[in-house]
Amino acid sequence: MTLPTLRGKKTQPLPTLCNELIFEILSWVPVKSLLILRSVCKSWKAIISNQSFIKFHLQRSPKDAYVITASKHGEYVAAQPCKMRSLFENPTSISITVDNSCYLFKADEHCFNFVGSANGLVCSLGSAITASERKIWVRFWNPATRLLSKNSACLLVDVTNDPFSYSMFGFGYDHLTNTYKVIVICYDGEGKITWVKVHNMGDTFWRDIHNFPDFLAARTNGQVRRDGIYVSNNLNWIAVSNSNSYKQSVIVSLDLVEESFTQLSMPCAFDEVYLEVPFEELYIFLGVLMDYLCVSYDDFYKGTNFIVWQMKEFGVQKSWTKVLNISYYDLKVDCELNERHLLSLFPMRMYKNGDFLITLLYYDDLQAVMYNQRDKKVELVKFYNSIQWIFEIDYIESLVSPL
């Protein structure tokens, strides 16, 4: 294309960029801007919609930038991503605006939870219970593109003969088949596994996973994270070994590619702390810190310290490394031991300089703590009524479609 000048002379053709260079430039652009740029021309739309570009863009998306928060709005609960830095820079200004970017559901309609997140997709869980059965379904949500899938096929659980049975869940990504999978582990009233099922995103059915291990559910009077933690292509849950003469906490790991289970051991120091503590009184959580599996707990009998371990090499017991050991006094937590069951702490983030972001829920009072290990300084932030929940799942923006 050439353009005439004011004097009637023609200029040189406008320079054009090759598709490879456009691909590279667009891969650094945030998702919300890319959604607008799709309208520039057909070639840009084709690039942005291409699966190879979506995967490449995902690799460059900022990690650990967002958490999923939720708050009540009348009879509804609205969920929305929130930037991590906003929690501390101006927490009183944080609010959730009810619009089409929210995940909106009725607070008293069925049971609801977010199971987990992988590659920018968030898996939500819904269930409805009657006297004879429990209905379970999932939906997939991309907050960045504002796309939400329809309800999956319902999984029906017969509770007629065992009303105390219950389920644990997990959501992750099978990189070999490019498949997103939801796992349901059903336990009977005694805590024994009765069946395991998997649902692939896009399918219209649930199928069985056979050869599941002989473990007991980690049902306690304390607090144990029930949803599976996705790390290193595996989903991980806290469980109880059923092969020893005494109850021993272990980690049950499911390889999402092979769909096979293995057992991981806790840090050695964990058994020393809890050797004489009734399992029913455990306070323990699994999580992910800097892409490593982590476990956090307190020294129950003393009730004085919050401890975090990190598995530096997945599946290798000797790689457990203690990365935090801080007293509740230093965290400015005022909680009597007999009220410990009302206190919930979870390490949301660990930064390269060793700082920790910890959420703290005491009664209905939600707070966040930033702990500077180097200077032993604590910054405490209260959210007032703007946020009622912070879900302990890692979320990143992506173009991955949930449809």
Side-chain angles (χ1 to χ4, degrees):
M1 176 180 179
T2 59
L3 297 176
T5 66
L6 293 176
R7 297 181 179 180
K9 295 183 180 180
K10 294 183 178 181
T11 63
Q12 294 297 320
L14 291 175
T16 58
L17 299 177
C18 64
N19 284 339
E20 289 79 7
L21 186 55
I22 296 174
F23 186 103
E24 173 68 21
I25 294 172
L26 291 178
S27 69
W28 293 101
V29 177
V31 172
K32 292 180 181 179
S33 298
L34 288 174
L35 298 180
I36 299 173
L37 292 175
R38 289 184 303 182
S39 303
V40 170
C41 61
K42 291 183 179 180
S43 62
W44 282 28
K45 183 178 180 179
I47 290 174
I48 295 170
S49 303
N50 183 275
Q51 290 300 313
S52 296
F53 175 82
I54 292 174
K55 290 182 179 180
F56 191 68
H57 181 270
L58 177 64
Q59 296 174 7
R60 291 184 166 175
S61 295
K63 305 298 188 293
D64 299 335
Y66 294 88
V67 290
I68 302 296
T69 60
S71 63
K72 290 183 179 179
H73 294 264
E75 63 177 337
Y76 288 90
V77 173
Q80 202 174 57
C82 175
K83 288 187 177 181
M84 292 292 297
R85 64 173 181 266
S86 299
L87 296 176
F88 288 91
E89 290 179 352
N90 196 7
T92 57
S93 67
I94 296 175
S95 62
I96 295 179
T97 303
V98 179
D99 54 24
N100 62 354
S101 67
C102 289
Y103 194 113
L104 201 64
F105 57 95
K106 281 191 175 182
D108 59 349
E109 184 178 33
H110 312 305
C111 298
F112 180 85
N113 191 22
F114 288 115
V115 176
S117 177
N119 296 343
L121 294 184
V122 179
C123 176
S124 68
L125 168 73
S127 66
I129 303 174
T130 66
S132 60
E133 67 180 10
R134 181 186 301 115
K135 294 182 179 179
I136 298 172
W137 65 89
V138 294
R139 300 182 78 178
F140 305 99
W141 173 42
N142 185 324
T145 61
R146 303 185 178 185
L147 294 177
L148 177 66
S149 73
K150 296 180 179 179
N151 289 355
S152 70
C154 274
L155 178 61
L156 301 180
V157 182
D158 186 357
V159 296
T160 305
N161 298 322
D162 194 355
F164 298 105
S165 66
Y166 77 111
S167 304
M168 290 187 178
F169 305 89
F171 173 63
Y173 176 65
D174 175 354
H175 67 282
L176 193 63
T177 61
N178 192 31
T179 305
Y180 293 87
K181 298 181 177 181
V182 183
I183 306 297
V184 180
I185 303 177
C186 186
Y187 295 87
D188 62 20
E190 296 181 351
K192 297 180 180 179
I193 298 179
T194 54
W195 50 258
V196 180
K197 291 185 180 289
V198 58
H199 171 74
N200 292 354
M201 187 178 76
D203 285 351
T204 58
F205 57 89
W206 295 76
R207 55 186 174 83
D208 292 313
I209 292 182
H210 301 286
N211 302 319
F212 47 81
D214 183 21
F215 293 105
L216 298 175
R219 302 184 69 170
T220 74
N221 299 325
Q223 300 167 356
V224 174
R225 174 74 179 266
R226 291 189 175 184
D227 294 331
I229 299 300
Y230 174 63
V231 60
S232 297
N233 302 313
N234 283 255
L235 279 169
N236 304 273
W237 295 266
I238 297 289
V240 183
S241 175
N242 201 27
S243 59
N244 299 325
S245 57
Y246 65 94
K247 295 180 179 180
Q248 182 181 26
S249 298
V250 295
I251 298 171
V252 175
S253 184
L254 174 64
D255 186 318
L256 288 178
V257 175
E258 300 294 334
E259 295 187 355
S260 59
F261 288 91
T262 56
Q263 174 182 317
L264 306 180
S265 298
M266 290 288 189
C268 294
F270 177 85
D271 288 335
E272 295 174 4
V273 172
Y274 282 103
L275 186 61
E276 298 180 0
V277 177
F279 183 80
E280 291 73 17
E281 303 298 336
L282 286 180
Y283 295 86
I284 178 172
F285 290 92
L286 279 183
V288 180
L289 293 175
M290 300 179 70
D291 294 329
Y292 296 111
L293 184 69
C294 75
V295 59
S296 59
Y297 58 90
D298 73 344
D299 53 345
F300 179 80
Y301 276 160
K302 294 180 181 178
T304 58
N305 284 51
F306 180 63
I307 301 165
V308 180
W309 290 78
Q310 200 178 47
M311 183 176 264
K312 298 293 187 179
E313 185 176 351
F314 186 80
V316 179
Q317 202 273 340
K318 291 183 178 180
S319 71
W320 280 114
T321 304
K322 186 184 293 185
V323 291
L324 180 67
N325 186 354
I326 181 173
S327 70
Y328 291 128
Y329 176 81
D330 290 335
L331 277 176
K332 300 181 181 179
V333 176
D334 184 15
C335 176
E336 298 293 334
L337 184 58
N338 59 1
E339 292 186 337
R340 178 62 184 83
H341 63 287
L342 300 173
L343 177 65
S344 175
L345 286 87
F346 187 81
M348 291 290 294
R349 294 289 186 273
M350 176 182 174
Y351 298 96
K352 292 182 179 180
N353 62 359
D355 290 355
F356 273 85
L357 171 64
I358 302 169
T359 57
L360 188 157
L361 182 64
Y362 188 35
Y363 286 92
D364 292 325
D365 185 21
L366 178 63
Q367 302 179 57
V369 176
M370 180 66 80
Y371 177 59
N372 183 320
Q373 287 204 85
R374 183 181 62 253
D375 300 326
K376 309 297 181 184
K377 291 183 178 180
V378 172
E379 181 183 357
L380 189 63
V381 177
K382 186 174 181 179
F383 299 112
Y384 303 97
N385 295 322
S386 58
I387 295 177
Q388 279 81 41
W389 299 277
I390 297 179
F391 294 92
E392 297 100 353
I393 58 175
D394 291 319
Y395 166 71
I396 61 174
E397 289 192 335
S398 82
L399 290 164
V400 177
S401 175
L403 304 179

